[in-house]
Amino acid sequence: MTETKALLQKYEIVPNKALGQNFLVNAAVADRIVKEATIEGKNVLEIGPGLGALTKRLAHTAKSVVAVEIDEKMANVIRNELPAVTLIHEDFLDTDIDGLFDGERFSVAANLPYYVTTPISLKLLCCADRIDSMTLMLQKEAGQRFFEKEGSKKYGPLTVLAKRSCAIKKIADLSPSDYYPMPDVDSVVVHLECKKEVKDNQKMMHLLNCAFSMRRKTLVNNLMAMNLTREEAENILEKASLPKTVRAEAVDIDGFERLLSVLY
Ligand code: SAM
């Protein structure tokens, strides 16, 4: 806490709530995340380094660290305090992941900004074939979405993409007092170990976006948005051994795998 406040004072920064700037102040949690991330000798991507609470630990252990930060004030802190870290000042949603680490594999560690957790997670999952693991701190409800089962209202593209690509485990529950300023919500740390054989996540993402586009519609109706006639969509479902009237939220991971292989 003292260090965070000292840095905020030194750089005359007021945390920006709109950018999800709740800084991790529990050193034991930061140490645990770095330990669970198993990044010794690896390339590590951090999204939103903020004042560097995780970054400095990652830099100490990893082979190389690239940190992507949207806020120029935070970017300036990292450049000054942690010159060994490669800082990219931009919105991570605009980052060209293919261009990072000369195409080498990498791991991810991040305390994700609450307002943009889902798009960031989906973007990372789309290139899970290049990622060894992701250790993410996120809002409790957002973390829960990785563990949902088919049939639940929160089961969706994030759940399916994460489960097909990774072995997922919860590492820790965090409370608002682990952050400064304190958020209004509880948080969790999850670790996603990416499966080596993952492929076609971009295609799966496209399929999932269509399949879940209107949750109350049947899968056939949603698939018709992929330029398919009703008859074609029904045939695809039949070949994938899925009922004609099924909704996307009732289809399990294997069902989506069958659908993907029939479609492509
Ligand atoms: N890693 C630091 C820590 O644990 O104390 C800060 C975490 S804070 C929850 C989230 C950080 O993400 C902030 O520094 C914020 O400016 C940054 N951020 C917010 N939106 C971003 C985006 N779209 N791309 C990159 N960084 C972003």
Side-chain angles (χ1 to χ4, degrees), residues 19-24 46-50 53 68-71 74 90-92 111-113 115-116:
L19 290 177
Q21 288 178 355
N22 302 97
F23 305 105
L24 181 63
E46 184 186 9
I47 298 133
V68 181
E69 173 58 60
I70 198 170
D71 185 344
M74 299 292 150
E90 68 184 3
D91 181 340
F92 176 69
N111 175 8
L112 292 178
Y115 78 102
V116 73

mmCIF file with all atom_site columns, all heavy atoms in Angstrom, residues 19-24 46-50 53 68-71 74 90-92 111-113 115-116, ligand 1:
data_model
loop_
_atom_site.group_PDB
_atom_site.id
_atom_site.type_symbol
_atom_site.label_atom_id
_atom_site.label_alt_id
_atom_site.label_comp_id
_atom_site.label_asym_id
_atom_site.label_entity_id
_atom_site.label_seq_id
_atom_site.pdbx_PDB_ins_code
_atom_site.Cartn_x
_atom_site.Cartn_y
_atom_site.Cartn_z
_atom_site.occupancy
_atom_site.B_iso_or_equiv
_atom_site.pdbx_formal_charge
_atom_site.auth_seq_id
_atom_site.auth_comp_id
_atom_site.auth_asym_id
_atom_site.auth_atom_id
_atom_site.pdbx_PDB_model_num
ATOM   1   N N   . LEU A 1 19  ? -10.901 3.380   -16.218 1.00 0.00 ? 19  LEU A N   1
ATOM   2   C CA  . LEU A 1 19  ? -9.938  2.450   -16.821 1.00 0.00 ? 19  LEU A CA  1
ATOM   3   C C   . LEU A 1 19  ? -9.678  1.242   -15.917 1.00 0.00 ? 19  LEU A C   1
ATOM   4   O O   . LEU A 1 19  ? -8.737  0.490   -16.126 1.00 0.00 ? 19  LEU A O   1
ATOM   5   C CB  . LEU A 1 19  ? -8.617  3.168   -17.137 1.00 0.00 ? 19  LEU A CB  1
ATOM   6   C CG  . LEU A 1 19  ? -8.652  4.177   -18.287 1.00 0.00 ? 19  LEU A CG  1
ATOM   7   C CD1 . LEU A 1 19  ? -7.299  4.868   -18.454 1.00 0.00 ? 19  LEU A CD1 1
ATOM   8   C CD2 . LEU A 1 19  ? -9.054  3.503   -19.596 1.00 0.00 ? 19  LEU A CD2 1
ATOM   9   N N   . GLY A 1 20  ? -10.513 1.094   -14.892 1.00 0.00 ? 20  GLY A N   1
ATOM   10  C CA  . GLY A 1 20  ? -10.381 -0.065  -14.001 1.00 0.00 ? 20  GLY A CA  1
ATOM   11  C C   . GLY A 1 20  ? -9.104  -0.021  -13.177 1.00 0.00 ? 20  GLY A C   1
ATOM   12  O O   . GLY A 1 20  ? -8.511  -1.067  -12.893 1.00 0.00 ? 20  GLY A O   1
ATOM   13  N N   . GLN A 1 21  ? -8.678  1.184   -12.799 1.00 0.00 ? 21  GLN A N   1
ATOM   14  C CA  . GLN A 1 21  ? -7.397  1.298   -12.081 1.00 0.00 ? 21  GLN A CA  1
ATOM   15  C C   . GLN A 1 21  ? -7.540  1.027   -10.580 1.00 0.00 ? 21  GLN A C   1
ATOM   16  O O   . GLN A 1 21  ? -7.603  1.944   -9.765  1.00 0.00 ? 21  GLN A O   1
ATOM   17  C CB  . GLN A 1 21  ? -6.760  2.664   -12.383 1.00 0.00 ? 21  GLN A CB  1
ATOM   18  C CG  . GLN A 1 21  ? -6.242  2.709   -13.812 1.00 0.00 ? 21  GLN A CG  1
ATOM   19  C CD  . GLN A 1 21  ? -5.642  4.031   -14.226 1.00 0.00 ? 21  GLN A CD  1
ATOM   20  O OE1 . GLN A 1 21  ? -5.672  5.006   -13.472 1.00 0.00 ? 21  GLN A OE1 1
ATOM   21  N NE2 . GLN A 1 21  ? -5.098  4.080   -15.436 1.00 0.00 ? 21  GLN A NE2 1
ATOM   22  N N   . ASN A 1 22  ? -7.610  -0.253  -10.253 1.00 0.00 ? 22  ASN A N   1
ATOM   23  C CA  . ASN A 1 22  ? -7.565  -0.695  -8.862  1.00 0.00 ? 22  ASN A CA  1
ATOM   24  C C   . ASN A 1 22  ? -6.275  -1.500  -8.742  1.00 0.00 ? 22  ASN A C   1
ATOM   25  O O   . ASN A 1 22  ? -6.150  -2.567  -9.346  1.00 0.00 ? 22  ASN A O   1
ATOM   26  C CB  . ASN A 1 22  ? -8.774  -1.581  -8.529  1.00 0.00 ? 22  ASN A CB  1
ATOM   27  C CG  . ASN A 1 22  ? -10.086 -0.852  -8.770  1.00 0.00 ? 22  ASN A CG  1
ATOM   28  O OD1 . ASN A 1 22  ? -10.701 -1.022  -9.820  1.00 0.00 ? 22  ASN A OD1 1
ATOM   29  N ND2 . ASN A 1 22  ? -10.495 -0.030  -7.830  1.00 0.00 ? 22  ASN A ND2 1
ATOM   30  N N   . PHE A 1 23  ? -5.330  -0.953  -7.987  1.00 0.00 ? 23  PHE A N   1
ATOM   31  C CA  . PHE A 1 23  ? -3.980  -1.531  -7.976  1.00 0.00 ? 23  PHE A CA  1
ATOM   32  C C   . PHE A 1 23  ? -3.853  -2.599  -6.895  1.00 0.00 ? 23  PHE A C   1
ATOM   33  O O   . PHE A 1 23  ? -4.348  -2.426  -5.778  1.00 0.00 ? 23  PHE A O   1
ATOM   34  C CB  . PHE A 1 23  ? -2.944  -0.423  -7.771  1.00 0.00 ? 23  PHE A CB  1
ATOM   35  C CG  . PHE A 1 23  ? -3.080  0.668   -8.799  1.00 0.00 ? 23  PHE A CG  1
ATOM   36  C CD1 . PHE A 1 23  ? -3.629  1.890   -8.476  1.00 0.00 ? 23  PHE A CD1 1
ATOM   37  C CD2 . PHE A 1 23  ? -2.695  0.437   -10.117 1.00 0.00 ? 23  PHE A CD2 1
ATOM   38  C CE1 . PHE A 1 23  ? -3.793  2.878   -9.433  1.00 0.00 ? 23  PHE A CE1 1
ATOM   39  C CE2 . PHE A 1 23  ? -2.854  1.418   -11.091 1.00 0.00 ? 23  PHE A CE2 1
ATOM   40  C CZ  . PHE A 1 23  ? -3.400  2.644   -10.741 1.00 0.00 ? 23  PHE A CZ  1
ATOM   41  N N   . LEU A 1 24  ? -3.158  -3.660  -7.237  1.00 0.00 ? 24  LEU A N   1
ATOM   42  C CA  . LEU A 1 24  ? -2.947  -4.747  -6.288  1.00 0.00 ? 24  LEU A CA  1
ATOM   43  C C   . LEU A 1 24  ? -1.976  -4.275  -5.209  1.00 0.00 ? 24  LEU A C   1
ATOM   44  O O   . LEU A 1 24  ? -0.859  -3.847  -5.516  1.00 0.00 ? 24  LEU A O   1
ATOM   45  C CB  . LEU A 1 24  ? -2.368  -5.956  -7.033  1.00 0.00 ? 24  LEU A CB  1
ATOM   46  C CG  . LEU A 1 24  ? -2.098  -7.197  -6.208  1.00 0.00 ? 24  LEU A CG  1
ATOM   47  C CD1 . LEU A 1 24  ? -3.397  -7.754  -5.611  1.00 0.00 ? 24  LEU A CD1 1
ATOM   48  C CD2 . LEU A 1 24  ? -1.418  -8.263  -7.061  1.00 0.00 ? 24  LEU A CD2 1
ATOM   49  N N   . GLU A 1 46  ? 2.022   -9.020  -20.091 1.00 0.00 ? 46  GLU A N   1
ATOM   50  C CA  . GLU A 1 46  ? 1.129   -8.487  -19.056 1.00 0.00 ? 46  GLU A CA  1
ATOM   51  C C   . GLU A 1 46  ? 0.228   -7.429  -19.690 1.00 0.00 ? 46  GLU A C   1
ATOM   52  O O   . GLU A 1 46  ? 0.709   -6.563  -20.441 1.00 0.00 ? 46  GLU A O   1
ATOM   53  C CB  . GLU A 1 46  ? 1.911   -7.863  -17.889 1.00 0.00 ? 46  GLU A CB  1
ATOM   54  C CG  . GLU A 1 46  ? 0.946   -7.414  -16.777 1.00 0.00 ? 46  GLU A CG  1
ATOM   55  C CD  . GLU A 1 46  ? 1.594   -6.646  -15.623 1.00 0.00 ? 46  GLU A CD  1
ATOM   56  O OE1 . GLU A 1 46  ? 2.787   -6.282  -15.722 1.00 0.00 ? 46  GLU A OE1 1
ATOM   57  O OE2 . GLU A 1 46  ? 0.886   -6.402  -14.637 1.00 0.00 ? 46  GLU A OE2 1
ATOM   58  N N   . ILE A 1 47  ? -1.045  -7.495  -19.380 1.00 0.00 ? 47  ILE A N   1
ATOM   59  C CA  . ILE A 1 47  ? -1.978  -6.486  -19.879 1.00 0.00 ? 47  ILE A CA  1
ATOM   60  C C   . ILE A 1 47  ? -2.318  -5.572  -18.711 1.00 0.00 ? 47  ILE A C   1
ATOM   61  O O   . ILE A 1 47  ? -2.745  -6.043  -17.658 1.00 0.00 ? 47  ILE A O   1
ATOM   62  C CB  . ILE A 1 47  ? -3.252  -7.150  -20.446 1.00 0.00 ? 47  ILE A CB  1
ATOM   63  C CG1 . ILE A 1 47  ? -2.857  -8.044  -21.617 1.00 0.00 ? 47  ILE A CG1 1
ATOM   64  C CG2 . ILE A 1 47  ? -4.263  -6.110  -20.906 1.00 0.00 ? 47  ILE A CG2 1
ATOM   65  C CD1 . ILE A 1 47  ? -3.480  -9.384  -21.567 1.00 0.00 ? 47  ILE A CD1 1
ATOM   66  N N   . GLY A 1 48  ? -2.103  -4.281  -18.894 1.00 0.00 ? 48  GLY A N   1
ATOM   67  C CA  . GLY A 1 48  ? -2.401  -3.313  -17.843 1.00 0.00 ? 48  GLY A CA  1
ATOM   68  C C   . GLY A 1 48  ? -1.441  -3.389  -16.673 1.00 0.00 ? 48  GLY A C   1
ATOM   69  O O   . GLY A 1 48  ? -1.835  -3.744  -15.557 1.00 0.00 ? 48  GLY A O   1
ATOM   70  N N   . PRO A 1 49  ? -0.158  -3.056  -16.863 1.00 0.00 ? 49  PRO A N   1
ATOM   71  C CA  . PRO A 1 49  ? 0.809   -3.125  -15.754 1.00 0.00 ? 49  PRO A CA  1
ATOM   72  C C   . PRO A 1 49  ? 0.546   -2.114  -14.644 1.00 0.00 ? 49  PRO A C   1
ATOM   73  O O   . PRO A 1 49  ? 1.002   -2.311  -13.516 1.00 0.00 ? 49  PRO A O   1
ATOM   74  C CB  . PRO A 1 49  ? 2.147   -2.833  -16.443 1.00 0.00 ? 49  PRO A CB  1
ATOM   75  C CG  . PRO A 1 49  ? 1.785   -2.042  -17.666 1.00 0.00 ? 49  PRO A CG  1
ATOM   76  C CD  . PRO A 1 49  ? 0.469   -2.593  -18.118 1.00 0.00 ? 49  PRO A CD  1
ATOM   77  N N   . GLY A 1 50  ? -0.182  -1.042  -14.956 1.00 0.00 ? 50  GLY A N   1
ATOM   78  C CA  . GLY A 1 50  ? -0.458  -0.028  -13.930 1.00 0.00 ? 50  GLY A CA  1
ATOM   79  C C   . GLY A 1 50  ? 0.825   0.522   -13.352 1.00 0.00 ? 50  GLY A C   1
ATOM   80  O O   . GLY A 1 50  ? 1.716   0.965   -14.082 1.00 0.00 ? 50  GLY A O   1
ATOM   81  N N   . ALA A 1 53  ? 3.038   -3.394  -9.849  1.00 0.00 ? 53  ALA A N   1
ATOM   82  C CA  . ALA A 1 53  ? 3.063   -4.330  -8.711  1.00 0.00 ? 53  ALA A CA  1
ATOM   83  C C   . ALA A 1 53  ? 3.377   -5.758  -9.163  1.00 0.00 ? 53  ALA A C   1
ATOM   84  O O   . ALA A 1 53  ? 4.200   -6.451  -8.544  1.00 0.00 ? 53  ALA A O   1
ATOM   85  C CB  . ALA A 1 53  ? 1.715   -4.302  -7.984  1.00 0.00 ? 53  ALA A CB  1
ATOM   86  N N   . VAL A 1 68  ? 1.434   -4.172  -21.944 1.00 0.00 ? 68  VAL A N   1
ATOM   87  C CA  . VAL A 1 68  ? 0.617   -3.295  -22.794 1.00 0.00 ? 68  VAL A CA  1
ATOM   88  C C   . VAL A 1 68  ? -0.276  -2.454  -21.885 1.00 0.00 ? 68  VAL A C   1
ATOM   89  O O   . VAL A 1 68  ? -1.084  -3.009  -21.123 1.00 0.00 ? 68  VAL A O   1
ATOM   90  C CB  . VAL A 1 68  ? -0.248  -4.119  -23.774 1.00 0.00 ? 68  VAL A CB  1
ATOM   91  C CG1 . VAL A 1 68  ? -1.069  -3.188  -24.664 1.00 0.00 ? 68  VAL A CG1 1
ATOM   92  C CG2 . VAL A 1 68  ? 0.622   -5.048  -24.619 1.00 0.00 ? 68  VAL A CG2 1
ATOM   93  N N   . GLU A 1 69  ? -0.127  -1.143  -21.942 1.00 0.00 ? 69  GLU A N   1
ATOM   94  C CA  . GLU A 1 69  ? -0.848  -0.242  -21.036 1.00 0.00 ? 69  GLU A CA  1
ATOM   95  C C   . GLU A 1 69  ? -1.508  0.889   -21.835 1.00 0.00 ? 69  GLU A C   1
ATOM   96  O O   . GLU A 1 69  ? -0.859  1.558   -22.625 1.00 0.00 ? 69  GLU A O   1
ATOM   97  C CB  . GLU A 1 69  ? 0.136   0.327   -20.004 1.00 0.00 ? 69  GLU A CB  1
ATOM   98  C CG  . GLU A 1 69  ? -0.405  1.411   -19.099 1.00 0.00 ? 69  GLU A CG  1
ATOM   99  C CD  . GLU A 1 69  ? -1.634  1.011   -18.278 1.00 0.00 ? 69  GLU A CD  1
ATOM   100 O OE1 . GLU A 1 69  ? -1.548  0.078   -17.486 1.00 0.00 ? 69  GLU A OE1 1
ATOM   101 O OE2 . GLU A 1 69  ? -2.681  1.670   -18.443 1.00 0.00 ? 69  GLU A OE2 1
ATOM   102 N N   . ILE A 1 70  ? -2.790  1.089   -21.589 1.00 0.00 ? 70  ILE A N   1
ATOM   103 C CA  . ILE A 1 70  ? -3.556  2.090   -22.347 1.00 0.00 ? 70  ILE A CA  1
ATOM   104 C C   . ILE A 1 70  ? -3.299  3.526   -21.858 1.00 0.00 ? 70  ILE A C   1
ATOM   105 O O   . ILE A 1 70  ? -3.416  4.474   -22.623 1.00 0.00 ? 70  ILE A O   1
ATOM   106 C CB  . ILE A 1 70  ? -5.080  1.762   -22.250 1.00 0.00 ? 70  ILE A CB  1
ATOM   107 C CG1 . ILE A 1 70  ? -5.869  2.469   -23.354 1.00 0.00 ? 70  ILE A CG1 1
ATOM   108 C CG2 . ILE A 1 70  ? -5.642  2.112   -20.880 1.00 0.00 ? 70  ILE A CG2 1
ATOM   109 C CD1 . ILE A 1 70  ? -7.309  1.990   -23.464 1.00 0.00 ? 70  ILE A CD1 1
ATOM   110 N N   . ASP A 1 71  ? -2.952  3.657   -20.571 1.00 0.00 ? 71  ASP A N   1
ATOM   111 C CA  . ASP A 1 71  ? -2.870  4.994   -19.959 1.00 0.00 ? 71  ASP A CA  1
ATOM   112 C C   . ASP A 1 71  ? -1.429  5.513   -20.011 1.00 0.00 ? 71  ASP A C   1
ATOM   113 O O   . ASP A 1 71  ? -0.517  4.896   -19.440 1.00 0.00 ? 71  ASP A O   1
ATOM   114 C CB  . ASP A 1 71  ? -3.356  4.875   -18.502 1.00 0.00 ? 71  ASP A CB  1
ATOM   115 C CG  . ASP A 1 71  ? -3.442  6.223   -17.807 1.00 0.00 ? 71  ASP A CG  1
ATOM   116 O OD1 . ASP A 1 71  ? -2.865  7.208   -18.312 1.00 0.00 ? 71  ASP A OD1 1
ATOM   117 O OD2 . ASP A 1 71  ? -4.080  6.284   -16.740 1.00 0.00 ? 71  ASP A OD2 1
ATOM   118 N N   . MET A 1 74  ? 0.487   5.755   -16.673 1.00 0.00 ? 74  MET A N   1
ATOM   119 C CA  . MET A 1 74  ? 0.981   4.455   -16.166 1.00 0.00 ? 74  MET A CA  1
ATOM   120 C C   . MET A 1 74  ? 2.173   3.994   -17.001 1.00 0.00 ? 74  MET A C   1
ATOM   121 O O   . MET A 1 74  ? 3.167   3.489   -16.471 1.00 0.00 ? 74  MET A O   1
ATOM   122 C CB  . MET A 1 74  ? -0.117  3.382   -16.255 1.00 0.00 ? 74  MET A CB  1
ATOM   123 C CG  . MET A 1 74  ? -1.341  3.693   -15.458 1.00 0.00 ? 74  MET A CG  1
ATOM   124 S SD  . MET A 1 74  ? -1.012  3.648   -13.700 1.00 0.00 ? 74  MET A SD  1
ATOM   125 C CE  . MET A 1 74  ? -2.199  4.851   -13.122 1.00 0.00 ? 74  MET A CE  1
ATOM   126 N N   . GLU A 1 90  ? -0.719  1.272   -25.637 1.00 0.00 ? 90  GLU A N   1
ATOM   127 C CA  . GLU A 1 90  ? -1.906  1.213   -26.505 1.00 0.00 ? 90  GLU A CA  1
ATOM   128 C C   . GLU A 1 90  ? -3.002  0.407   -25.823 1.00 0.00 ? 90  GLU A C   1
ATOM   129 O O   . GLU A 1 90  ? -2.774  -0.228  -24.788 1.00 0.00 ? 90  GLU A O   1
ATOM   130 C CB  . GLU A 1 90  ? -1.566  0.592   -27.871 1.00 0.00 ? 90  GLU A CB  1
ATOM   131 C CG  . GLU A 1 90  ? -1.207  -0.873  -27.823 1.00 0.00 ? 90  GLU A CG  1
ATOM   132 C CD  . GLU A 1 90  ? -0.771  -1.433  -29.192 1.00 0.00 ? 90  GLU A CD  1
ATOM   133 O OE1 . GLU A 1 90  ? -0.683  -0.679  -30.169 1.00 0.00 ? 90  GLU A OE1 1
ATOM   134 O OE2 . GLU A 1 90  ? -0.508  -2.650  -29.244 1.00 0.00 ? 90  GLU A OE2 1
ATOM   135 N N   . ASP A 1 91  ? -4.170  0.444   -26.414 1.00 0.00 ? 91  ASP A N   1
ATOM   136 C CA  . ASP A 1 91  ? -5.289  -0.382  -25.975 1.00 0.00 ? 91  ASP A CA  1
ATOM   137 C C   . ASP A 1 91  ? -4.973  -1.822  -26.381 1.00 0.00 ? 91  ASP A C   1
ATOM   138 O O   . ASP A 1 91  ? -4.706  -2.081  -27.561 1.00 0.00 ? 91  ASP A O   1
ATOM   139 C CB  . ASP A 1 91  ? -6.560  0.118   -26.694 1.00 0.00 ? 91  ASP A CB  1
ATOM   140 C CG  . ASP A 1 91  ? -7.806  -0.654  -26.301 1.00 0.00 ? 91  ASP A CG  1
ATOM   141 O OD1 . ASP A 1 91  ? -7.695  -1.776  -25.785 1.00 0.00 ? 91  ASP A OD1 1
ATOM   142 O OD2 . ASP A 1 91  ? -8.905  -0.123  -26.540 1.00 0.00 ? 91  ASP A OD2 1
ATOM   143 N N   . PHE A 1 92  ? -4.997  -2.750  -25.424 1.00 0.00 ? 92  PHE A N   1
ATOM   144 C CA  . PHE A 1 92  ? -4.646  -4.130  -25.765 1.00 0.00 ? 92  PHE A CA  1
ATOM   145 C C   . PHE A 1 92  ? -5.541  -4.690  -26.867 1.00 0.00 ? 92  PHE A C   1
ATOM   146 O O   . PHE A 1 92  ? -5.123  -5.563  -27.628 1.00 0.00 ? 92  PHE A O   1
ATOM   147 C CB  . PHE A 1 92  ? -4.712  -5.038  -24.526 1.00 0.00 ? 92  PHE A CB  1
ATOM   148 C CG  . PHE A 1 92  ? -4.445  -6.476  -24.869 1.00 0.00 ? 92  PHE A CG  1
ATOM   149 C CD1 . PHE A 1 92  ? -3.182  -6.887  -25.275 1.00 0.00 ? 92  PHE A CD1 1
ATOM   150 C CD2 . PHE A 1 92  ? -5.468  -7.425  -24.841 1.00 0.00 ? 92  PHE A CD2 1
ATOM   151 C CE1 . PHE A 1 92  ? -2.930  -8.203  -25.648 1.00 0.00 ? 92  PHE A CE1 1
ATOM   152 C CE2 . PHE A 1 92  ? -5.225  -8.750  -25.201 1.00 0.00 ? 92  PHE A CE2 1
ATOM   153 C CZ  . PHE A 1 92  ? -3.951  -9.129  -25.606 1.00 0.00 ? 92  PHE A CZ  1
ATOM   154 N N   . ASN A 1 111 ? -3.705  -8.525  -14.098 1.00 0.00 ? 111 ASN A N   1
ATOM   155 C CA  . ASN A 1 111 ? -4.810  -8.105  -13.245 1.00 0.00 ? 111 ASN A CA  1
ATOM   156 C C   . ASN A 1 111 ? -5.697  -7.284  -14.177 1.00 0.00 ? 111 ASN A C   1
ATOM   157 O O   . ASN A 1 111 ? -5.429  -6.115  -14.419 1.00 0.00 ? 111 ASN A O   1
ATOM   158 C CB  . ASN A 1 111 ? -4.233  -7.265  -12.100 1.00 0.00 ? 111 ASN A CB  1
ATOM   159 C CG  . ASN A 1 111 ? -5.289  -6.672  -11.209 1.00 0.00 ? 111 ASN A CG  1
ATOM   160 O OD1 . ASN A 1 111 ? -6.471  -6.980  -11.329 1.00 0.00 ? 111 ASN A OD1 1
ATOM   161 N ND2 . ASN A 1 111 ? -4.851  -5.788  -10.304 1.00 0.00 ? 111 ASN A ND2 1
ATOM   162 N N   . LEU A 1 112 ? -6.712  -7.937  -14.726 1.00 0.00 ? 112 LEU A N   1
ATOM   163 C CA  . LEU A 1 112 ? -7.449  -7.321  -15.833 1.00 0.00 ? 112 LEU A CA  1
ATOM   164 C C   . LEU A 1 112 ? -8.359  -6.186  -15.391 1.00 0.00 ? 112 LEU A C   1
ATOM   165 O O   . LEU A 1 112 ? -9.017  -6.283  -14.349 1.00 0.00 ? 112 LEU A O   1
ATOM   166 C CB  . LEU A 1 112 ? -8.289  -8.389  -16.548 1.00 0.00 ? 112 LEU A CB  1
ATOM   167 C CG  . LEU A 1 112 ? -7.515  -9.450  -17.323 1.00 0.00 ? 112 LEU A CG  1
ATOM   168 C CD1 . LEU A 1 112 ? -8.478  -10.471 -17.931 1.00 0.00 ? 112 LEU A CD1 1
ATOM   169 C CD2 . LEU A 1 112 ? -6.644  -8.832  -18.414 1.00 0.00 ? 112 LEU A CD2 1
ATOM   170 N N   . PRO A 1 113 ? -8.415  -5.105  -16.213 1.00 0.00 ? 113 PRO A N   1
ATOM   171 C CA  . PRO A 1 113 ? -9.373  -4.033  -15.914 1.00 0.00 ? 113 PRO A CA  1
ATOM   172 C C   . PRO A 1 113 ? -10.801 -4.569  -16.050 1.00 0.00 ? 113 PRO A C   1
ATOM   173 O O   . PRO A 1 113 ? -11.119 -5.232  -17.037 1.00 0.00 ? 113 PRO A O   1
ATOM   174 C CB  . PRO A 1 113 ? -9.072  -2.980  -16.990 1.00 0.00 ? 113 PRO A CB  1
ATOM   175 C CG  . PRO A 1 113 ? -8.282  -3.680  -18.057 1.00 0.00 ? 113 PRO A CG  1
ATOM   176 C CD  . PRO A 1 113 ? -7.626  -4.868  -17.429 1.00 0.00 ? 113 PRO A CD  1
ATOM   177 N N   . TYR A 1 115 ? -13.724 -3.409  -16.728 1.00 0.00 ? 115 TYR A N   1
ATOM   178 C CA  . TYR A 1 115 ? -14.686 -3.000  -17.765 1.00 0.00 ? 115 TYR A CA  1
ATOM   179 C C   . TYR A 1 115 ? -14.476 -3.710  -19.100 1.00 0.00 ? 115 TYR A C   1
ATOM   180 O O   . TYR A 1 115 ? -15.336 -3.648  -19.979 1.00 0.00 ? 115 TYR A O   1
ATOM   181 C CB  . TYR A 1 115 ? -14.637 -1.474  -17.962 1.00 0.00 ? 115 TYR A CB  1
ATOM   182 C CG  . TYR A 1 115 ? -13.444 -1.005  -18.782 1.00 0.00 ? 115 TYR A CG  1
ATOM   183 C CD1 . TYR A 1 115 ? -13.597 -0.664  -20.127 1.00 0.00 ? 115 TYR A CD1 1
ATOM   184 C CD2 . TYR A 1 115 ? -12.172 -0.917  -18.222 1.00 0.00 ? 115 TYR A CD2 1
ATOM   185 C CE1 . TYR A 1 115 ? -12.507 -0.248  -20.883 1.00 0.00 ? 115 TYR A CE1 1
ATOM   186 C CE2 . TYR A 1 115 ? -11.083 -0.520  -18.966 1.00 0.00 ? 115 TYR A CE2 1
ATOM   187 C CZ  . TYR A 1 115 ? -11.262 -0.179  -20.281 1.00 0.00 ? 115 TYR A CZ  1
ATOM   188 O OH  . TYR A 1 115 ? -10.187 0.212   -21.025 1.00 0.00 ? 115 TYR A OH  1
ATOM   189 N N   . VAL A 1 116 ? -13.335 -4.389  -19.258 1.00 0.00 ? 116 VAL A N   1
ATOM   190 C CA  . VAL A 1 116 ? -13.020 -4.928  -20.578 1.00 0.00 ? 116 VAL A CA  1
ATOM   191 C C   . VAL A 1 116 ? -12.484 -6.379  -20.484 1.00 0.00 ? 116 VAL A C   1
ATOM   192 O O   . VAL A 1 116 ? -11.820 -6.878  -21.374 1.00 0.00 ? 116 VAL A O   1
ATOM   193 C CB  . VAL A 1 116 ? -12.064 -3.924  -21.286 1.00 0.00 ? 116 VAL A CB  1
ATOM   194 C CG1 . VAL A 1 116 ? -10.675 -3.960  -20.702 1.00 0.00 ? 116 VAL A CG1 1
ATOM   195 C CG2 . VAL A 1 116 ? -12.040 -4.072  -22.784 1.00 0.00 ? 116 VAL A CG2 1
HETATM 196 N N1  . SAM B 2 .   ? -1.366  -4.574  -12.952 1.00 0.00 ? 1   SAM B N1  1
HETATM 197 C C1  . SAM B 2 .   ? -1.639  -3.493  -12.040 1.00 0.00 ? 1   SAM B C1  1
HETATM 198 C C2  . SAM B 2 .   ? -1.842  -4.043  -10.654 1.00 0.00 ? 1   SAM B C2  1
HETATM 199 O O1  . SAM B 2 .   ? -2.066  -5.258  -10.536 1.00 0.00 ? 1   SAM B O1  1
HETATM 200 O O2  . SAM B 2 .   ? -1.805  -3.279  -9.702  1.00 0.00 ? 1   SAM B O2  1
HETATM 201 C C3  . SAM B 2 .   ? -2.820  -2.641  -12.489 1.00 0.00 ? 1   SAM B C3  1
HETATM 202 C C4  . SAM B 2 .   ? -4.103  -3.415  -12.696 1.00 0.00 ? 1   SAM B C4  1
HETATM 203 S S1  . SAM B 2 .   ? -5.506  -2.380  -12.961 1.00 0.00 ? 1   SAM B S1  1
HETATM 204 C C5  . SAM B 2 .   ? -6.781  -3.477  -12.418 1.00 0.00 ? 1   SAM B C5  1
HETATM 205 C C6  . SAM B 2 .   ? -5.763  -2.429  -14.716 1.00 0.00 ? 1   SAM B C6  1
HETATM 206 C C7  . SAM B 2 .   ? -4.738  -1.718  -15.589 1.00 0.00 ? 1   SAM B C7  1
HETATM 207 O O3  . SAM B 2 .   ? -5.111  -1.909  -16.959 1.00 0.00 ? 1   SAM B O3  1
HETATM 208 C C8  . SAM B 2 .   ? -4.653  -0.209  -15.406 1.00 0.00 ? 1   SAM B C8  1
HETATM 209 O O4  . SAM B 2 .   ? -3.314  0.182   -15.356 1.00 0.00 ? 1   SAM B O4  1
HETATM 210 C C9  . SAM B 2 .   ? -5.332  0.380   -16.657 1.00 0.00 ? 1   SAM B C9  1
HETATM 211 O O5  . SAM B 2 .   ? -4.858  1.646   -17.024 1.00 0.00 ? 1   SAM B O5  1
HETATM 212 C C10 . SAM B 2 .   ? -4.996  -0.693  -17.678 1.00 0.00 ? 1   SAM B C10 1
HETATM 213 N N2  . SAM B 2 .   ? -5.935  -0.785  -18.795 1.00 0.00 ? 1   SAM B N2  1
HETATM 214 C C11 . SAM B 2 .   ? -7.270  -0.514  -18.803 1.00 0.00 ? 1   SAM B C11 1
HETATM 215 N N3  . SAM B 2 .   ? -7.802  -0.776  -19.994 1.00 0.00 ? 1   SAM B N3  1
HETATM 216 C C12 . SAM B 2 .   ? -6.790  -1.238  -20.787 1.00 0.00 ? 1   SAM B C12 1
HETATM 217 C C13 . SAM B 2 .   ? -6.719  -1.676  -22.143 1.00 0.00 ? 1   SAM B C13 1
HETATM 218 N N4  . SAM B 2 .   ? -7.824  -1.706  -22.909 1.00 0.00 ? 1   SAM B N4  1
HETATM 219 N N5  . SAM B 2 .   ? -5.525  -2.045  -22.634 1.00 0.00 ? 1   SAM B N5  1
HETATM 220 C C14 . SAM B 2 .   ? -4.410  -2.020  -21.849 1.00 0.00 ? 1   SAM B C14 1
HETATM 221 N N6  . SAM B 2 .   ? -4.413  -1.609  -20.557 1.00 0.00 ? 1   SAM B N6  1
HETATM 222 C C15 . SAM B 2 .   ? -5.590  -1.243  -20.034 1.00 0.00 ? 1   SAM B C15 1
#
